[in-house]
Amino acid sequence: MSSKSTLLPEKDQQPKESSQHQLEMPVHKGTTKKWVKFAARASVTAFLFVFLLKSVSWSTLFTTLVHAQHAWQLMGLAVGVLCIVLSSFEWHYLVQAEGIHTDLARLIKLYLVGIAFSHFLPSSMGGDVAKAFYVGRDSGNMAGAASSVMLSRMTGFLGMLIIALPSLLIWHSWFASKVIVEFLLLSLLLLVLISGAVIISLCLPKASSCLLLKSRWIPKGAVITAMELGQTLGSAVRRPRSLTIAILFGVLFWIASLLNYYGYAVALGIHAPLFFYAIAIPFSSIIAFLPISINGFGVREGALVYIFSTIHISPSSSLLLALLMDTQVLLFGAIGGCIYLTMGNHAKH
């Protein structure tokens, strides 16, 4: 009896250790894969910045910055603040359309917190996820909060096209043919992705219910969450009035974004017509959307240098313009980080 009692715990202990090891392995693999992706993006970002900085004249860069007009810089910063307010208005309307009641000031704060998450925690929760999480936690409607964030991205993109496409049609002679083709192809690619997301959202509830009934391997909690999000996003797509107003806010946001860049450009002595920014800024933003660097850093700057070179703007000036915009975003992110730290433990968890 004593020998059996000593052997049984050893036999029972081995499967437990094995099962624990099996549970830990997927987590370890997922963490490793995440860090490998982050390291790859960080390498691309570093390479692009090194390449850009080596291709410009440092003396010209410094001289241009010293002689920048401070009044226009302040105007650019003020319009940058307006961009945040307009984008928050767009998000606020979509949040209200989901039946979530929250004030605009709260959303502006969360918008800044989202910028902080995106730029200072690139390997952790993204800005959009953070915004959806806090609104969903406060309201108890996580699916509606996620839907509002997704729709704000979509309506913002459509607002950009409303500005860019007519500008391209009217002033196409100002742009190189390869820029026109590349911009149209990239826009078409995003339109296909957005259309696919909308179609999936409409079909997801039915497909998810089938999976919930037939599949034993897919977690029921994940399927139920997918069903709720699909139903919420699908019902939102069926509200054309809400989407139309949100798109109008998206148009206002992009107009402010063009003026934001234009103010800094004038401060640096870059003389390009305002309508040129209606293509240059969306072009660089779409390219920065590609997941090949950290938050688009390096890619966005390279795209701006490229498109401004087509109208004979020096790489030093256009790169400095991009760096000023990066500084503005990092400033807003720092403010968002301070807001996050002052939200309190109850608000953050």
Side-chain angles (χ1 to χ4, degrees):
M1 290 294 294
S2 62
S3 62
K4 287 182 180 179
S5 63
T6 56
L7 288 174
L8 282 173
E10 293 178 2
K11 290 179 181 179
D12 292 338
Q13 185 178 5
Q14 184 174 359
K16 289 180 181 179
E17 291 178 353
S18 176
S19 61
Q20 184 179 4
H21 177 70
Q22 290 175 355
L23 289 173
E24 290 177 353
M25 283 298 291
V27 177
H28 176 69
K29 289 181 179 179
T31 304
T32 302
K33 186 177 181 181
K34 180 188 296 184
W35 280 106
V36 168
K37 289 182 178 180
F38 174 70
R41 291 188 180 186
S43 300
V44 172
T45 304
F47 171 79
L48 289 172
F49 268 114
V50 169
F51 175 77
L52 287 170
L53 293 174
K54 287 183 65 175
S55 63
V56 300
S57 170
W58 281 87
S59 59
T60 304
L61 203 70
F62 181 75
T63 302
T64 304
L65 183 60
V66 168
H67 292 89
Q69 302 178 42
H70 300 303
W72 280 97
Q73 285 180 295
L74 291 175
M75 192 205 81
L77 180 61
V79 179
V81 174
L82 178 61
C83 289
I84 291 179
V85 174
L86 289 172
S87 189
S88 298
F89 259 113
E90 178 187 1
W91 183 27
H92 185 238
Y93 193 86
L94 292 170
V95 166
Q96 287 184 322
E98 296 293 345
I100 300 175
H101 301 288
T102 184
D103 60 349
L104 179 63
R106 171 68 173 170
L107 294 185
I108 292 176
K109 291 180 180 179
L110 290 180
Y111 192 97
L112 291 168
V113 169
I115 295 176
F117 270 82
S118 295
H119 290 83
F120 298 129
L121 297 173
S123 63
S124 184
M125 184 166 59
D128 285 349
V129 178
K131 293 190 295 183
F133 170 76
Y134 288 119
V135 172
R137 187 207 56 190
D138 294 344
S139 63
N141 184 359
M142 196 65 72
S147 174
S148 68
V149 173
M150 293 173 63
L151 284 173
S152 68
R153 287 287 187 177
M154 296 178 186
T155 54
F157 173 70
L158 294 176
M160 179 269 288
L161 289 183
I162 292 175
I163 296 295
L165 293 181
S167 301
L168 190 62
L169 180 64
I170 297 172
W171 294 288
H172 62 275
S173 59
W174 266 81
F175 303 96
S177 57
K178 59 180 180 179
V179 171
I180 296 175
V181 172
E182 291 164 354
F183 175 75
L184 292 177
L185 288 177
L186 287 170
S187 300
L188 180 61
L189 173 62
L190 279 187
L191 274 176
V192 171
L193 292 176
I194 291 174
S195 301
V198 172
I199 293 172
I200 290 174
S201 69
L202 296 176
C203 301
L204 192 58
K206 184 177 180 179
S208 299
S209 60
C210 294
L211 290 173
L212 183 62
L213 294 173
K214 297 180 180 180
S215 177
R216 298 180 179 179
W217 302 102
I218 301 177
K220 291 185 178 181
V223 176
I224 292 173
T225 301
M227 290 174 62
E228 292 177 350
L229 179 58
Q231 290 172 347
T232 304
L233 191 57
S235 62
V237 170
R238 297 186 184 97
R239 294 195 294 264
R241 183 176 178 274
S242 301
L243 293 178
T244 301
I245 295 177
I247 291 172
L248 290 177
F249 275 115
V251 170
L252 294 175
F253 165 79
W254 277 101
I255 292 174
S257 296
L258 305 184
L259 293 173
N260 187 199
Y261 275 86
Y262 185 77
Y264 286 121
V266 173
L268 297 175
I270 297 176
H271 301 290
L274 182 59
F275 60 80
F276 179 81
Y277 295 86
I279 302 300
I281 308 311
F283 180 84
S284 61
S285 299
I286 294 175
I287 292 182
F289 179 77
L290 301 176
I292 59 178
S293 69
I294 299 177
N295 297 317
F297 284 121
V299 178
R300 183 186 303 103
E301 292 76 9
L304 276 177
V305 170
Y306 162 69
I307 194 167
F308 273 96
S309 68
T310 62
I311 58 171
H312 309 294
I313 300 296
S314 69
S316 298
S317 298
S318 53
L319 178 59
L320 190 55
L321 172 61
L323 293 178
L324 281 178
M325 292 301 303
D326 291 341
T327 303
Q328 174 184 279
V329 173
L330 293 176
L331 172 62
F332 292 154
I335 295 173
C338 293
I339 293 173
Y340 175 73
L341 293 175
T342 58
M343 285 167 63
N345 292 329
H346 177 71
K348 293 187 284 187
H349 300 289

